[in-house]
Amino acid sequence: MPETPRHAVVAGAGIGGLTAALALHRQGWRVTVCERAAAPAAVGAGIVLAPNALRAFDAIGFDATRAAGRAVPASMGVRRPGGTRLARADTAALAARYGRPPLAVHRTDLTAALAAALPEGALVYGAEVTAVEEDGGRTVARTTAGDLGADAVIAADGIHSPLRRRRFPDHPGLHYSGETAWRTVLPSGPATEAAETWGRGERFGTVPLADGRVYLYATAVVPEGYRPADVRGELLRRFGTWHDPIPALLERIDPGAVLQHDLYDLAAPLPRLHDGRTAWIGDAAHAMTPNLGQGGCQAVEDAAVLAHLLRGADVPAALAAYTRARLARTDAIRIRARRMGRVAALTHPLAVAARDLAFRATPASATRRALDDLFDGFTLPGEPAGNAGHRPGR
């Protein structure tokens, strides 16, 4: 008789959970993805898949460019509210250094493509994993749709992860960064570069997506829980006098399609990214602020590494190896993102002037080198490190 495939229960149908499920499915596992929402999200935002995330997708045999298109911004930059450029990076230079350029896509397009690659019935909506119980060699995922036996449980249940809180009750939890963020996507329009504009305690970003739409985001230093009644009015008040095309873009937004979330990260690293036969990935494992654009990218890395290690027969040993492979890297990026956010959110005029001067004085080559450990840092355990063969002079 054929061997019964091992079963993985994945809590959460975000980018990390779906990537992990697809990777395990392609290794012969039976997978069940339990998503607490009743249906796929009707609105969403964009995501920039950096070279490290694209390489991780390659490792599991998923072509993100086929799912979302091949268009990439010609350049990315940082400006001041008046339009003065502080920094600029050509995507051609990034591609030459890291083997490929970043890819900007709509999150819902990406998750839909990942879900479509799963076997029928693997994704279950309206089912939340509420607890994981282990008794000897038997593991049971308790869900709102019934109990599921599992050989491994992947906790991809987001920044507020109930499974993380249950298993690590003494962890301090989340830390508020001091900023809130607004995000939306506009229909296709005039060409827009990928850029972020930094003011005093405020930022505005534009990212053209592969399908022609434009992803907008903005942040501001505000008290936790701040929610303006008039979203468009709030954004126009803050950013309506900034350089073109920001005012025109703000006039086009649909307030009902604007997402607002306060920005949090983990107050401290988890003691480990696994416990028994459960592993945490993505925001559930190492929630970080979006200042480096690496939250989703690190979730994809997590999924690829975890699936790679779960090829072995010993699940607890594989999950312990996953912690060893991922904890230090993800926590270093979490800390780096927090520090970058503090610099970007400066409000004192003298501090802002010093920050902007430092940006303009930093050579582009130094900026690229600073990205090496992010974009070139993905490896599968036991395989050669990085993508250094693409770098000039290596």
Side-chain angles (χ1 to χ4, degrees):
M1 294 180 62
E3 185 177 346
T4 301
R6 292 184 290 177
H7 184 213
V9 174
V10 181
I15 291 171
L18 290 171
T19 303
L22 179 58
L24 289 171
H25 163 63
R26 290 183 169 174
Q27 290 178 188
W29 284 66
R30 182 168 66 91
V31 295
T32 302
V33 182
C34 297
E35 167 54 46
R36 67 169 70 96
V43 297
I47 181 173
V48 177
L49 297 173
N52 54 303
L54 295 173
R55 196 172 302 117
F57 274 135
D58 286 347
I60 69 166
F62 178 77
D63 184 353
T65 61
R66 287 190 62 187
R70 295 183 177 275
V72 295
S75 65
M76 296 178 287
V78 179
R79 295 178 180 267
R80 298 179 66 182
T84 304
R85 192 178 294 276
L86 298 175
R88 185 176 186 272
D90 291 324
T91 53
L94 294 176
R97 191 170 184 85
Y98 304 112
R100 68 197 69 200
L103 177 66
V105 302
H106 199 292
R107 284 177 178 264
T108 56
D109 290 346
L110 180 59
T111 54
L114 289 164
L118 292 173
E120 185 176 356
L123 176 52
V124 183
Y125 286 101
E128 180 180 2
V129 178
T130 57
V132 179
E133 298 179 3
E134 299 188 24
D135 182 9
R138 185 171 182 268
T139 301
V140 176
R142 307 289 185 191
T143 87
T144 54
D147 293 348
L148 296 171
D151 295 282
V153 175
I154 314 302
D157 52 344
I159 189 169
H160 299 287
S161 175
L163 294 179
R164 181 185 68 224
R165 293 197 302 267
R166 286 181 65 94
R167 197 60 61 94
F168 301 106
D170 296 328
H171 186 272
L174 297 176
H175 158 264
Y176 178 49
S177 70
E179 292 183 281
T180 196
W182 296 271
R183 299 176 294 159
T184 194
V185 175
L186 296 182
S188 58
T192 305
E193 73 168 350
E196 194 164 279
T197 302
W198 289 14
R200 292 173 51 189
E202 296 172 332
R203 285 176 284 170
F204 193 94
T206 58
V207 182
L209 302 181
D211 62 5
R213 288 180 288 179
V214 181
Y215 169 41
L216 306 181
Y217 60 92
T219 70
V221 175
V222 297
E224 186 176 10
Y226 175 76
R227 294 293 183 273
D230 179 1
V231 173
R232 180 188 281 113
E234 175 79 5
L235 295 176
L236 283 169
R237 179 181 67 81
R238 292 181 178 275
F239 307 104
T241 61
W242 288 22
H243 66 80
D244 291 335
I246 292 173
L249 293 171
L250 289 175
E251 292 291 350
R252 294 176 55 204
I253 66 171
D254 172 6
V258 176
L259 304 174
Q260 182 180 354
H261 295 95
D262 292 343
L263 299 182
Y264 298 90
D265 63 5
L266 280 193
L270 291 179
R272 57 193 180 281
L273 302 183
H274 77 287
D275 192 71
R277 289 177 174 266
T278 302
W280 282 260
I281 69 173
D283 284 345
H286 43 68
M288 58 186 70
T289 54
N291 300 298
L292 298 176
Q294 281 289 311
C297 295
Q298 289 305 305
V300 175
E301 284 194 17
D302 289 343
V305 169
L306 181 58
H308 174 77
L309 292 168
L310 281 170
R311 294 181 304 177
D314 189 334
V315 170
L319 301 192
Y322 165 72
T323 285
R324 293 193 297 271
R326 297 296 298 160
L327 182 57
R329 173 167 168 78
T330 55
D331 195 56
I333 294 173
R334 177 188 67 85
I335 293 171
R336 184 171 166 184
R338 179 185 289 188
R339 290 172 177 167
M340 177 62 78
R342 288 172 176 165
V343 171
L346 290 171
T347 58
H348 193 283
L350 293 179
V352 170
R355 176 198 70 192
D356 293 353
L357 179 62
F359 250 99
R360 297 186 71 180
T362 303
S365 58
T367 301
R368 287 193 295 269
R369 286 195 299 272
L371 296 174
D372 285 349
D373 62 336
L374 296 179
F375 293 173
D376 212 22
F378 167 71
T379 58
L380 292 176
E383 295 192 358
N387 193 52
H390 285 283
R391 294 193 209 153
R394 289 298 183 102

